[in-house]
Amino acid sequence: MTEFDAASAAVQAALDAGARYADARVMHRRYESMTARNGDVEELTQDESIGLGVRALVGSSWGFHAVPDLSDAAARDAGRRAARTAAASARVPGPPVDLAPVEAVTASWASDCRLDPLGVPLSDKGDLLVEATRTMVRHGADLAEGLYQIWDTAKWFVSSEGHRIDQRIRECGGGISATSIGDGETQRRSWPSYRGQYGTTGWELVESLDLGAHAAQIAEESRALLTAPPCPAGETDLILGGEQLALQIHESVGHAIELDRILGWEAAFAGTSWLDLAQLGSLRYGSELMNITIDPTIPGALGSFGFDDEGSPAVKRDAVRDGRWVGVLAGRDSAAMAGLDYGGSVRADGWARLPMVRMTNVGLEPGPHTLEEIIAATDDGVLMDLNRSWSIDDKRLNFQFGCEVGWEVKKGRRGRMLRNPTYTGIGPLFWRSMDMLSGETVSWGTPNCGKGQPGQTGHTGHPAAPARFRGVRVGVSA
């Protein structure tokens, strides 16, 4: 059987067993990662899996079943089991479940990839990490680490409404970090991010990071941080670099606008949301510089795709426009429940997992300034970048973040390096204080977004650039 045949058999079996709607996904994923430490390759992981997952809707309830077998018998059994699970759940009355409309299409989509990451020789990839970590050790790092990760995913999707979609998505990325250990103090500097940079693209992304060229600088900065003065405590103007602002968007906007959280469907893992649907279209989320988009069409960004795992096409939408909350991340069922006419943000991290609402590329549109202009306009403040720790409450409202590095900003100039910089705030108050935003946007990739029970790891993208926030509390401790 072909992958489409297996998915079609599962859908038909679910319908025959009483489902009023069914869809099935076959996923074939290859994964590879390598880590190096202090000049030696430490670990190589290579994994491959293929299987089928089928959803069935009976009454007001979903059922799901997955199998690592694409035979006709296994696919049909999976469809029947999914329908039986849904029927059993539907015995408990619940609100009716409808699906927001989407056009059923036959389509193919593939991400851009100039250099197949799995085709690059392991020796070349290993040499890259080994040499970068050796350079960091020579320049003072006590612990020098490098890594890359690669995902190559093929999907085949069929629905009872007539969808027939195949996709090929290749993702990769990597990074390096240097840790220096002092007397009662440990400091780390990373490039280009604390976990690396990732995208839906080929090995050309890793080559563009030029890890070796940055190894000496981050090692020297990690050692310099051991004796740098601590970040002062108090309220001041805060300038966030683009990488840290990407995480700020992820935690205090991206998760908050997930419609399943807003509806209370996703309350078990990391909470719900402070947002109230009654305020959609009217709530002042941030300043007029705050324009957040949901855009899975950005070429090369980690949250990009052609169609989500419900067959909805990738479409750019506004989440916040001129500071006002106007859109959500939704699936077809949650959108219909909320009276909305769009989904498009549902994915699963593998064939054995139920698709759920996930972030795509959620990020800030560019602003009118440059980082240098922001610094020059700041009389007294702190510049922070690269995340080190994060904490946010279960409604995605109150947060505290720590960064790897900070710098004093005095009279429009960047001054001394500061260690252990931290800041805290309340989401809408923080975003309303943003008064300068750079246009130097990077689509930062987050490959480790956790959600759901059983837990799923999502790949998300966050376009972001440096920005200034007024009157922020910095230098907070745990």
Side-chain angles (χ1 to χ4, degrees):
M1 296 181 71
T2 69
E3 292 85 359
F4 275 131
D5 289 339
S8 297
V11 167
Q12 187 58 53
L15 296 177
D16 292 343
R20 60 186 177 94
Y21 169 86
D23 60 38
R25 294 169 298 111
V26 173
M27 291 182 66
H28 177 200
R29 172 168 284 173
R30 293 185 292 166
Y31 172 75
E32 179 180 293
S33 68
M34 183 185 293
T35 59
R37 178 176 293 182
N38 288 13
D40 294 306
V41 172
E42 188 171 69
E43 184 177 5
L44 170 65
T45 300
Q46 294 175 312
D47 184 58
E48 183 172 6
S49 69
I50 187 169
L52 176 147
V54 55
R55 297 192 308 171
L57 182 59
V58 176
S60 60
S61 298
W62 287 103
F64 177 76
H65 195 78
V67 290
D69 184 347
L70 302 187
S71 68
D72 183 72
R76 292 184 182 278
D77 184 60
R80 287 189 292 267
R81 288 174 178 267
R84 286 202 297 267
T85 299
S89 299
R91 292 171 188 163
V92 178
V97 172
D98 296 316
L99 300 177
V102 63
E103 180 184 2
V105 298
T106 297
S108 295
W109 186 87
S111 58
D112 292 334
C113 178
R114 294 198 303 273
L115 186 57
D116 180 4
L118 291 177
V120 176
L122 282 173
S123 57
D124 291 353
K125 292 181 280 198
D127 287 347
L128 173 67
L129 300 185
V130 165
E131 288 305 314
T133 57
R134 284 178 178 170
T135 298
M136 289 186 282
V137 170
R138 287 197 300 269
H139 286 262
D142 295 299
L143 176 62
E145 298 177 297
L147 83 158
Y148 72 77
Q149 297 185 85
I150 298 165
W151 299 265
D152 188 336
T153 305
K155 302 182 181 184
W156 296 263
F157 176 80
V158 171
S159 82
S160 59
E161 294 177 336
H163 291 89
R164 190 179 176 93
I165 300 168
D166 64 274
Q167 300 187 81
R168 174 87 179 276
I169 301 173
R170 284 180 279 194
E171 306 159 301
C172 68
I176 55 176
S177 65
T179 301
S180 295
I181 302 170
D183 184 12
E185 188 77 30
T186 300
Q187 293 293 332
R188 182 187 69 206
R189 285 289 284 122
S190 306
W191 174 265
S193 165
Y194 79 96
R195 63 185 170 271
Q197 168 66 321
Y198 297 85
T200 301
T201 183
W203 191 251
E204 60 271 15
L205 170 63
V206 177
E207 291 184 339
S208 73
L209 300 177
D210 207 359
L211 302 179
H214 294 88
Q217 178 182 344
I218 69 165
E220 291 166 359
E221 288 184 357
S222 74
R223 179 123 330 249
L225 279 169
L226 292 174
T227 55
C231 178
E235 287 193 2
T236 190
D237 291 345
L238 173 65
I239 303 170
L240 289 183
E243 192 270 357
Q244 175 60 30
L245 192 55
L247 183 72
Q248 182 74 52
I249 294 167
H250 181 99
E251 299 293 351
S252 67
V253 181
H255 278 306
I257 64 172
E258 291 169 339
L259 185 53
D260 56 347
R261 290 183 186 272
I262 296 170
L263 293 173
W265 296 1
E266 171 61 20
F269 188 93
T272 55
S273 173
W274 65 277
L275 293 169
D276 181 348
L277 269 179
Q279 295 179 301
L280 183 63
S282 62
L283 176 73
R284 174 62 64 181
Y285 208 123
S287 74
E288 291 186 355
L289 280 175
M290 187 184 187
N291 293 295
I292 299 278
T293 59
I294 299 165
D295 189 3
T297 70
I298 300 173
L302 190 61
S304 295
F305 48 79
F307 298 84
D308 78 348
D309 284 352
E310 293 186 308
S312 297
V315 175
K316 180 180 179 180
R317 302 186 189 279
D318 284 343
V320 179
R321 177 55 53 185
D322 299 328
R324 201 170 302 281
W325 176 42
V326 295
V328 297
L329 294 152
R332 296 182 64 191
D333 55 356
S334 58
M337 179 72 71
L340 304 174
D341 63 357
Y342 61 88
S345 299
V346 166
R347 289 183 290 166
D349 74 352
W351 54 266
R353 290 289 182 260
L354 181 68
M356 64 172 66
V357 175
R358 300 307 303 256
M359 281 179 255
T360 61
N361 299 311
V362 179
L364 271 170
E365 290 190 343
H369 309 109
T370 67
L371 175 59
E372 292 309 311
E373 288 172 346
I374 296 172
I375 292 172
T378 303
D379 187 59
D380 185 14
V382 177
L383 167 63
M384 301 184 192
D385 204 8
L386 271 74
N387 184 259
R388 185 173 181 176
S389 65
W390 64 95
S391 175
I392 192 164
D393 70 8
D394 59 0
K395 287 187 174 293
R396 300 283 153 176
L397 188 60
N398 294 277
F399 60 82
Q400 178 178 315
F401 294 124
C403 296
E404 287 187 0
V405 63
W407 291 271
E408 281 184 336
V409 177
K410 297 288 187 183
K411 298 181 179 179
R413 295 181 179 275
R414 186 190 305 208
R416 299 181 299 170
M417 181 183 291
L418 303 173
R419 62 182 164 92
N420 302 333
T422 60
Y423 67 99
T424 188
I426 298 173
L429 299 181
F430 178 81
W431 285 106
R432 291 168 196 169
S433 76
M434 181 173 67
D435 73 334
M436 296 188 78
L437 174 63
S438 169
E440 300 152 315
T441 299
V442 173
S443 291
W444 293 98
T446 300
N448 60 332
C449 174
K451 188 178 177 183
Q453 288 182 324
Q456 297 191 37
T457 302
H459 293 183
T460 69
H462 303 290
R468 186 176 74 176
F469 302 83
R470 307 303 295 269
V472 178
R473 185 181 169 202
V474 305
V476 295
S477 59

